[in-house]
Amino acid sequence: MILFGNQSLDPFGDSTVSDYERLFEIFGIQPLAPLLSSFSVRHKYLDIGLAFGHRDIERILEAIKENQPFAVMSGIKPSNRYHMGSKKIADAVIYFQKQGGFAFYCIADIEAYEVNGIRPDESKLTAIDNVADLLALGLDCKRAFIYRQSKCSPVHNLAFQLASKVPMSLMTAIYGEKPFGYYLASIVQAADILLPQTEESSGPRPTVVPVGADQDPSIRLTRDLSVKFHGQLGFVKPSALIFKLTRSLGQSKMSKSKSETCLFLNEDTETAKNKIANSMTGGQPTTHEQRSLGGNPNSCPIYETMIYIPKTTTQDLAALRDQCRSGRILCGECKELCANLFTDFLNKHQEQKAKYVSLAQCIVEEGTCG
């Protein structure tokens, strides 16, 4: 875990960030705002600052502009169901795929074993469920390589190569003191990120990795290794689009393990409504104070949930922020609006997801898109 003040970045546990601008100074993350006009296709995650930072995203923007090959890479640890934080990253992968990128998506079952003690054979059903969510959200599997870490020999072989250049001092500097299996999982993850650049994957080519801020330590490790293997394998530093952490309904980072404050994509609508109704907000304690002082959407899980709902536009979110800050909308009214929009999304998503379960099973079990 990397600590800075009362904040922390831990790819394997709970992270807390209250001041994202400090990450620019401490870790060298670059601010995204000056480059927003360079994105030919805008997404609301960009417009509202949910994607706040980057590492060498210019390389990807240039590839898009020049219609040159590039890859987008991400994945998920199959330890539980898809939640809104998982959706945020999936949306980013789909966004770059639509801009011309070939997608690599890893089912991180080695990490699930090392960190959570879940064997690959036990995580397979969760992996199928995760992939069905991904496809239902819009990923084109015919322009993607979706794979399980435990079954991907090229990743294993590359991880062995990368490990030869990783001193223990580097791992402890990046991750702090961890069980050795965590370090192993990190090196395998670096191999995942660099896989699109290997010759057998038609590389090297620019690669962008959408991540939450808590995963930036692993981006730094991989970028360091790409430099060490540039001469031997031709790797270039992978780029990253870095997102703010997804807030749970209880204000902490959204976590699969805290189901009572986590919104999953396979929730039944009544459960989702109850979670939203009982959520914390950024509003005032009383109606009078809310009307006179207004609320703070920047610290409100309900407002953040609205961001992830496909139906809400940048303009909708701006109007909602204004209503909240001016006190023209009360927290109960906002919760009701959020519940209606979210359950409508859930119904449509789950109907779409049901169409992809068989395909997801083929991808996970056979490595084929059908």
Side-chain angles (χ1 to χ4, degrees), residues 104-307:
F104 288 75
Y105 197 85
C106 167
I107 304 298
D109 54 359
I110 290 178
E111 182 179 351
Y113 176 72
E114 293 292 350
V115 177
N116 302 96
I118 306 172
R119 298 196 313 268
D121 60 315
E122 295 175 328
S123 65
K124 186 171 71 172
L125 290 179
T126 302
I128 292 169
D129 187 69
N130 292 164
V131 171
D133 277 311
L134 177 67
L135 299 177
L137 289 170
L139 187 87
D140 179 0
C141 72
K142 295 189 182 300
R143 296 185 54 249
F145 176 48
I146 304 171
Y147 64 96
R148 295 166 69 189
Q149 274 180 336
S150 62
K151 301 293 183 181
C152 189
S153 296
V155 167
H156 305 164
N157 294 338
L158 181 56
F160 274 110
Q161 286 183 278
L162 298 179
S164 68
K165 301 288 186 180
V166 183
M168 182 59 69
S169 58
L170 176 62
M171 300 305 285
T172 55
I174 293 177
Y175 298 104
E177 294 289 341
K178 297 288 185 184
F180 192 81
Y182 287 45
Y183 300 147
L184 173 62
S186 298
I187 295 171
V188 174
Q189 185 182 66
D192 291 319
I193 294 172
L194 292 171
L195 181 64
Q197 296 200 46
T198 61
E199 185 176 345
E200 57 198 317
S201 295
S202 302
R205 54 182 156 179
T207 304
V208 59
V209 189
V211 292
D214 58 335
Q215 297 299 314
D216 182 66
S218 295
I219 296 296
R220 298 201 309 273
L221 170 65
T222 308
R223 284 166 60 86
D224 180 80
L225 289 171
S226 71
V227 173
K228 292 179 178 179
F229 283 88
H230 173 73
Q232 180 181 348
L233 299 176
F235 291 159
V236 297
K237 289 183 179 180
S239 304
L241 182 66
I242 303 174
F243 287 84
K244 295 178 179 177
L245 303 178
T246 301
R247 185 185 285 111
S248 77
L249 297 179
Q251 291 284 17
S252 61
K253 174 191 169 185
M254 187 169 285
S255 171
K256 301 173 184 179
S257 63
K258 300 175 182 177
S259 60
E260 67 279 3
T261 58
C262 184
L263 285 172
F264 296 99
L265 269 61
N266 66 348
E267 301 271 20
D268 66 82
T269 55
E270 286 306 310
T271 299
K273 286 180 179 178
N274 287 334
K275 286 183 178 182
I276 291 170
N278 292 311
S279 170
M280 298 181 69
T281 71
Q284 301 294 340
T286 68
T287 297
H288 174 72
E289 290 173 295
Q290 179 71 14
R291 292 294 191 199
S292 59
L293 300 176
N296 180 9
N298 291 334
S299 64
C300 182
I302 296 300
Y303 170 74
E304 184 166 336
T305 298
M306 301 279 271
I307 295 172

Side-chain angles (χ1 to χ4, degrees), residues 17-29:
V17 181
S18 57
D19 183 359
Y20 284 94
E21 290 193 2
R22 285 207 66 202
L23 302 185
F24 302 148
E25 173 188 353
I26 296 171
F27 296 114
I29 294 173

Side-chain angles (χ1 to χ4, degrees), residues 48 303 313-323 325:
I48 65 173
Y303 170 74
T313 65
T314 302
Q315 293 73 26
D316 294 332
L317 295 167
L320 186 62
R321 284 198 304 273
D322 183 61
Q323 288 179 304
R325 287 170 175 155

Side-chain angles (χ1 to χ4, degrees), residues 353-368:
K353 178 181 176 179
K355 302 175 184 177
Y356 286 106
V357 173
S358 294
L359 177 57
Q361 184 173 356
C362 288
I363 291 172
V364 172
E365 292 184 346
E366 303 173 21
T368 176

Side-chain angles (χ1 to χ4, degrees), residues 70-88:
F70 74 97
V72 55
M73 194 281 148
S74 187
I76 190 168
K77 185 172 61 171
S79 57
N80 209 326
R81 300 166 286 169
Y82 243 61
H83 61 48
M84 300 306 275
S86 311
K87 178 186 181 296
K88 171 184 67 183

